[in-house]
Amino acid sequence: MKKIFLGAMLALTLIGCGAKDDSIILYTNSGSNGRSEFLKEYAKENGFNLDIVSAGGTDITNRLLAEKNNPIADVIFGLNNMEYEKLKRENILKKFSPSWADQIPEGLSDAEGYYNAVTVTPLLAVYNTDIINGENIPKDWTDLATNPKFTGKYFMFGTNGGTGKAVMASVVSRYRDDNGELKISKDGWEMTKKLYTNGYVERGEEDWFGNLMSGKRPILMLWGSGALERQKANNIKLGVMKPEIGVPFVVEQIALVNKKGDNEQVEKFADWLGSPEVQIKWAEKFGTAPAHPAALEKAPAEVKELVESVKIQNLDWKFISENIDSWIEKIELEFIK
C-alpha cells in the first residue's frame, strides 16, 4: 500500500505542478520545511522552471528504480551514498562534472563522477535541556538502548528514510562479524533489538518536535540542519548527544538521471544548485553545512559551530551498502512493532 500511495502521490504532484516541456523535474528527500518552495522560487528567479517531487530517501530511490526503463526525473538532490550506489549499479545515473567539482574535498563526491557533494549533514540525537541534563545526558545510542531511564523517552525515525537508515547502520555496523547472522555478531543484534524496542519508532504523521518540547519524548533523532532550524524557530537551545565514537555524517549529493533528450538546461541547473553562491543562501535559510569550502567559510556561525562540535564517525559505507537491505528486513520483521 505504501508503494502504491507513493506512486499516486508522485503522479499527482507532477500533474498538480502542471509540468511543462521546458520544466526540470527534480526528485528530492530534502524538500520539507519550506525547502521545496524556496528552491522552486529561487530557481525561477534564475531562469529555471522546476517541478519538485519530495519524499523520503528510500521512497525516492525505489521510485527511480521502478522508473528505470521510462525515467521521469531529470535531477536528484539529497539522498546519500548508500542510495546513490544502488542507482549507479542499475545504470540510472549519468556522469556529470559540474564547474565546482574539483573544489570539493576529496572523498565526498563519487570518484567516477556519477554524483557530486553539495551539503554535509551530521545525524544526531538532540534533547530538551530543561528535562535532560547533568547525569541524565545520554552518551550514545547504545546508552539509550540499554539504560532503563531512557526507555520510551527517545524518538527514532523508521528505516524507510535516509536519517533513520543511516543512524541504524552507524550502530549495527559497529558489530561486524563476517561469521555472524547477516555479518553482524549476536551482541550486535541484541543491542539493535534493545534500541528499537526500548525507544519509540515513528508511526505515521505526528508532532515529534512538540513531544520533545513537552517532555513526552524529550530525546529526538534529527538531522543537523533540522536541529538548527527548530532552535531558531522556537528560541531554544537543544542539547546534542556526542558519542565518543562520533556521529554519522550524511553527504547530500546532486546527480543527473540517465535519460534521453537534451540535458543542457538540466546540467546548467545542477551546476547552479551546487555552486557556492546558492549553497551560502541555502545554509543561511536552512542551516545546512555546504560541502564547498568557500561556501562553508561564509555559512552562519551556528552551522560551522555545530559541524565542528561533533566528531565524524568512521563508517565503512561499502560494507553498509552491501548489507543494509537485509539488516532493514530483519529489523522491520523482528524488532519494530
Side-chain angles (χ1 to χ4, degrees):
M1 283 298 294
K2 189 171 185 180
K3 291 181 179 178
I4 293 172
F5 172 77
L6 175 65
M9 182 269 294
L10 292 171
L12 289 171
T13 301
L14 292 175
I15 293 169
C17 289
K20 303 174 183 178
D21 290 342
D22 65 343
S23 67
I24 296 170
I25 300 173
L26 173 71
Y27 281 13
T28 183
N29 67 328
S30 190
S32 61
N33 300 313
R35 285 174 167 82
S36 287
E37 294 80 4
F38 172 81
L39 181 57
K40 188 179 179 73
E41 184 60 33
Y42 189 37
K44 186 176 181 180
E45 293 173 7
N46 286 271
F48 301 106
N49 180 29
L50 288 187
D51 289 316
I52 301 177
V53 174
S54 179
T58 301
D59 290 335
I60 289 290
T61 300
N62 289 339
R63 184 66 184 181
L64 288 161
L65 291 169
E67 295 171 354
K68 176 181 178 180
N69 296 323
N70 187 26
I72 295 173
D74 296 303
V75 186
I76 311 160
F77 171 54
L79 303 187
N80 58 48
N81 296 47
M82 293 181 288
E83 308 293 358
Y84 280 116
E85 283 300 314
K86 288 182 184 178
L87 299 174
K88 183 177 169 182
R89 287 194 295 268
E90 292 295 324
N91 197 34
I92 289 170
L93 306 181
K94 176 185 177 182
K95 281 188 178 183
F96 168 61
S97 181
S99 60
W100 38 265
D102 62 353
Q103 298 164 48
I104 301 299
E106 185 177 357
L108 294 183
S109 300
D110 179 42
E112 296 181 282
Y114 284 96
Y115 49 88
N116 290 274
V118 178
T119 73
V120 293
T121 305
L123 302 181
L124 311 167
V126 299
Y127 53 89
N128 183 333
T129 55
D130 289 336
I131 298 170
I132 305 296
N133 48 58
E135 295 182 356
N136 290 322
I137 295 174
K139 298 178 176 63
D140 198 324
W141 290 103
T142 54
D143 188 21
L144 290 174
T146 57
N147 194 324
K149 68 183 176 183
F150 297 125
T151 299
K153 296 296 184 182
Y154 60 96
F155 174 96
M156 298 179 64
F157 289 106
T159 57
N160 62 318
T163 298
K165 183 184 294 186
V167 172
M168 175 274 287
S170 76
V171 175
V172 174
S173 63
R174 300 185 198 183
Y175 299 90
R176 179 172 181 170
D177 179 354
D178 289 345
N179 296 316
E181 181 185 2
L182 305 178
K183 297 188 177 180
I184 299 299
S185 70
K186 184 178 179 180
D187 288 345
W189 285 124
E190 185 60 32
M191 179 64 73
T192 305
K193 179 180 180 180
K194 290 178 180 178
L195 181 65
Y196 283 92
T197 56
N198 291 338
Y200 181 90
V201 182
E202 179 184 24
R203 296 174 177 86
E205 294 293 329
E206 61 181 282
D207 187 7
W208 35 262
F209 193 77
N211 289 334
L212 175 142
M213 294 285 288
S214 70
K216 182 178 181 180
R217 280 185 287 277
I219 305 168
L220 169 67
M221 179 188 290
L222 197 58
W223 53 98
S225 59
L228 294 176
E229 285 178 301
R230 284 162 178 79
Q231 280 191 157
K232 185 175 181 180
N234 294 277
N235 194 29
I236 60 169
K237 180 68 173 178
L238 295 172
V240 177
M241 185 176 75
K242 299 177 181 179
E244 186 176 340
I245 198 171
V247 302
F249 269 60
V250 168
V251 182
E252 288 188 316
Q253 315 266 0
I254 192 161
L256 304 187
V257 176
N258 186 16
K259 62 189 293 189
K260 296 177 181 178
D262 182 11
N263 282 352
E264 183 178 355
Q265 185 72 348
V266 173
E267 291 184 4
K268 285 182 179 179
F269 167 74
D271 193 81
W272 171 82
L273 180 58
S275 66
E277 295 77 16
V278 175
Q279 284 308 303
I280 289 170
K281 283 188 173 294
W282 196 252
E284 290 172 346
K285 183 72 175 177
F286 299 110
T288 56
H292 197 294
L296 181 60
E297 186 61 31
K298 295 181 180 179
E302 63 270 19
V303 172
K304 291 190 289 185
E305 180 184 345
L306 176 62
V307 170
E308 292 171 357
S309 72
V310 289
K311 176 182 176 182
I312 300 175
Q313 185 178 352
N314 184 19
L315 293 166
D316 186 342
W317 288 112
K318 183 176 184 297
F319 171 68
I320 290 170
S321 66
E322 291 171 348
N323 295 281
I324 189 77
D325 289 340
S326 60
W327 296 345
I328 289 173
E329 183 177 13
K330 179 178 175 64
I331 289 168
E332 290 188 343
L333 287 174
E334 299 181 23
F335 303 154
I336 297 179
K337 306 301 181 182

